[in-house]
Amino acid sequence: AASGAMCSYNAVNGVPSCVNGAMRDVLRGEWGYDGYITSDTPAISCVYENCSGFRGHGFSPNGPAAVCAALKNGTTDVCSGPDFVQHLLAAVAPGAGYGCTMADVDAAVARTMRLRFELGLFDQPASQPLWHVPMSAVRTRASLQLSLETALQGIVLLKNDGGALPILPATAAGRKTLAVVGPSANDTRVILGNYLGDTCDSRSMHDFGCVEPV
């Protein structure tokens, strides 16, 4: 089962994901998720102001209100940006009227600390195997195959209702082809995104020569 989830920058049904009650009611309630939730870096800032080049949602009037909504509605435990540090005390101050208390903070801390204990982060490093993973265990044939299977299972297929996508009629062999055009059609760096480490053997973050289409 998953131990960590991330709320993103975008809104769902008009409500930013990090303050969205669906995180509490659906993810934790209906699905029984009991791990921790972290914000994508400044996603809580985006709830009330422009952030990192993104246009803010303007959903909450200020930082303390956004932080309180993240704790109470989004059950967001970890803020990867500055908002918990800057606004948490104001959000839970007696009489502040934002609707959350230190009990909500305690619940968030408990979820994150439990995971740290489960990972052995408070034990002696010498007794923890994950602190001693050799480089020989990195980028193995088995791990590459697992990465491929994970990517294939994560693909989202869209139904071509009304022929909206430019899919050509079936060929004589029974196959259909799809035209992918534009400046990023074969740009492996754009396709991979920027949340990745050294991909190819050159150990350079700018080398994507080993990436092949599936």
Side-chain angles (χ1 to χ4, degrees):
S3 297
M6 175 182 285
C7 54
S8 54
Y9 297 108
N10 60 288
V12 178
N13 297 326
V15 182
S17 64
C18 287
V19 299
N20 199 309
M23 302 294 285
R24 175 196 61 221
D25 300 333
V26 178
L27 180 62
R28 294 197 187 279
E30 294 181 21
W31 297 353
Y33 174 75
D34 64 351
Y36 80 100
I37 297 174
T38 181
S39 71
D40 202 345
T41 308
I44 296 177
S45 298
C46 295
V47 172
Y48 65 96
E49 65 180 3
N50 296 339
C51 59
S52 295
F54 296 100
R55 180 180 178 182
H57 296 285
F59 184 81
S60 296
N62 52 43
V67 165
C68 189
L71 284 171
K72 197 78 173 180
N73 301 330
T75 58
T76 304
D77 305 310
V78 178
C79 175
S80 299
D83 297 282
F84 278 12
V85 173
Q86 295 176 351
H87 304 298
L88 182 61
L89 292 181
V92 300
Y98 293 114
C100 60
T101 67
M102 282 302 296
D104 299 302
V105 178
D106 291 342
V109 171
R111 286 188 288 261
T112 58
M113 295 298 285
R114 183 185 66 206
L115 179 63
R116 289 174 179 266
F117 276 107
E118 290 174 350
L119 290 173
L121 296 182
F122 297 100
D123 298 330
Q124 291 296 324
S127 65
Q128 298 303 307
L130 292 180
W131 285 99
H132 307 283
V133 177
M135 286 303 299
S136 60
V138 178
R139 203 167 166 13
T140 64
R141 183 183 299 273
S143 65
L144 291 174
Q145 181 61 33
L146 179 60
S147 295
L148 175 60
E149 292 176 3
T150 302
L152 292 175
Q153 292 184 27
I155 292 174
V156 177
L157 299 179
L158 302 178
K159 187 176 181 180
N160 192 25
D161 281 337
L165 297 176
I167 300 178
L168 303 178
T171 65
R175 295 191 298 269
K176 291 186 177 182
T177 58
L178 176 66
V180 180
V181 297
S184 299
N186 196 33
D187 189 331
T188 51
R189 182 172 186 177
V190 172
I191 294 171
L192 286 171
N194 63 342
Y195 274 39
L196 72 164
D198 298 332
T199 304
C200 300
D201 290 332
S202 67
R203 313 305 297 169
S204 170
M205 293 186 66
H206 303 290
D207 177 17
F208 301 97
C210 67
V211 179
E212 299 178 357
V214 177

